[in-house]
Amino acid sequence: MKTYVSCCCPSLIPSRETARFYLLFVLIALYMLAGAAMFSSLERGAELEAHRLWDTRLSDFSHEYNISCENLKSLLRHYEEARAAGIRSKPGRALWDIPGAFYFVGTVLSTIGFGVTAPSTGTGKVLLVFYGLLGCSATILFFNLFLERVITLLSSLIFRCRGRTARIGPGGRASEGNKNEEPKPSVYQVTLIFSVVALLVTCGAAALYSAMEGWTYTESLYFCFVAFSTVGFGDFVSGQREHHEHTWGYQVANCLLILLGVCCTYSLFNTISVIVKQWLNWVLRTIAWMCRSVAFCMGSN
């Protein structure tokens, strides 16, 4: 059956790589639809309630101080423009001094992009395009090299633990194929190690942020995942309070923790993606086996 189809319509049988690509695309689309349904059911009610509460407060404020809603909305639009330049209703640390700018470029190069700080000048926006293009590329290379160094370290540790166990061939000599061969950790071992390390870094960083930022521990864990995974919603941002401007130790620890967390999480995502790829290959093999079985049954009948 497969031979017949491949001879008549060879274009109908995609390669393994193409089939895996299509399968992954379908699964991601279904995963996104499921996520959209879940988060919509959870968050839509809160959004409607926030809109209702905001309209009520806006109307009450307008009547209490005898200000038209149009003028009040105009003031709020001006505030939104000023917010992009770093103006906040609550006092905060400077955004564009050297430490603040360093924190900004760190969020750019790590692709977090919290959105709290953004260039407001035309020159700054143009510069960011070229600066981010080179910087993000170099940072991704650094993350890949970090993963390679960790795998090399694990291989060395496994080699030392097992010792040199070369197979002895005829004449008492070690076989050529194994005398220089070093054991390498499996993708599951690497994933487990990165999972433990990422969990330890996240829990430790969450404890620090909970103490320094006044967040609950759950909020701190949420911030760590959003930051370390480079999602960067911007609803929680560390190191932006006014008193943090003078706590240099915390600023340094904050930058180092984010860098370490991003490295570990990026590496964890890479190893999980390898496992997902293996799972996709298994699904494709199962589908191919089922098709061959159906074709065999049809041919025997």
Side-chain angles (χ1 to χ4, degrees):
M1 182 72 178
K2 182 178 179 182
T3 305
Y4 173 77
V5 174
S6 61
C7 292
C8 296
C9 303
S11 61
L12 296 180
I13 303 179
S15 63
R16 179 180 294 272
E17 291 75 16
T18 303
R20 185 171 58 224
F21 171 78
Y22 289 148
L23 178 60
L24 183 59
F25 175 80
V26 172
L27 291 177
I28 289 176
L30 293 176
Y31 192 75
M32 292 176 65
L33 288 174
M38 289 188 296
F39 285 107
S40 178
S41 63
L42 289 172
E43 302 294 336
R44 180 58 176 166
E47 180 189 17
L48 295 175
E49 179 62 22
H51 278 284
R52 186 197 63 78
L53 183 60
W54 172 250
D55 291 337
T56 301
R57 289 176 174 175
L58 192 65
S59 178
D60 293 343
F61 188 88
S62 176
H63 285 89
E64 182 177 356
Y65 293 97
N66 195 23
I67 302 175
S68 66
C69 288
E70 289 75 14
N71 291 335
L72 185 56
K73 290 180 180 179
S74 177
L75 176 63
L76 292 174
R77 282 194 294 270
H78 288 307
Y79 172 71
E80 290 176 353
E81 295 175 358
R83 186 177 176 83
I87 305 300
R88 299 291 184 271
S89 57
K90 293 182 179 180
R93 54 156 300 165
L95 297 180
W96 290 109
D97 58 354
I98 294 299
F102 185 81
Y103 187 80
F104 164 73
V105 297
T107 61
V108 172
L109 300 188
S110 61
T111 70
I112 296 176
F114 287 122
V116 174
T117 310
S120 58
T121 63
T123 305
K125 293 177 180 178
V126 172
L127 176 62
L128 179 63
V129 174
F130 298 98
Y131 183 85
L133 181 64
L134 178 61
C136 292
S137 302
T139 305
I140 291 175
L141 175 61
F142 174 79
F143 292 157
N144 290 328
L145 294 177
F146 175 83
L147 177 58
E148 292 178 5
R149 298 285 80 74
V150 172
I151 294 177
T152 302
L153 177 61
L154 292 177
S155 300
S156 177
L157 292 177
I158 293 176
F159 178 77
R160 291 181 180 179
C161 291
R162 293 182 180 178
R164 296 183 176 273
T165 55
R167 295 180 180 177
I168 305 302
R173 294 183 179 180
S175 60
E176 293 294 332
N178 294 317
K179 65 179 182 180
N180 293 323
E181 192 175 283
E182 292 187 5
K184 292 184 178 181
S186 68
V187 64
Y188 300 98
Q189 291 174 323
V190 177
T191 302
L192 177 61
I193 291 173
F194 274 120
S195 298
V196 173
V197 173
L199 181 62
L200 292 176
V201 172
T202 300
C203 292
L208 175 64
Y209 291 133
S210 181
M212 297 298 297
E213 301 289 346
W215 302 333
T216 64
Y217 192 74
T218 302
E219 290 173 340
S220 299
L221 287 174
Y222 164 80
F223 165 77
C224 288
F225 174 78
V226 169
F228 297 166
S229 62
T230 71
V231 175
F233 291 124
D235 49 349
F236 288 88
V237 182
S238 59
Q240 301 302 304
R241 297 179 182 272
E242 188 177 17
H243 64 275
H244 291 159
E245 191 169 359
H246 306 290
T247 53
W248 290 92
Y250 174 64
Q251 293 183 43
V252 174
N254 182 29
C255 293
L256 293 178
L257 277 175
I258 290 179
L259 178 62
L260 179 61
V262 170
C263 284
C264 294
T265 307
Y266 176 86
S267 301
L268 179 61
F269 286 167
N270 268 316
T271 56
I272 292 176
S273 68
V274 175
I275 296 176
V276 172
K277 183 178 179 180
Q278 293 178 351
W279 180 79
L280 291 175
N281 290 335
W282 176 83
V283 172
L284 291 175
R285 287 195 299 269
T286 303
I287 294 175
W289 175 82
M290 293 175 62
C291 291
R292 287 194 298 268
S293 300
V294 171
F296 176 78
C297 293
M298 292 176 62
S300 61
N301 293 331

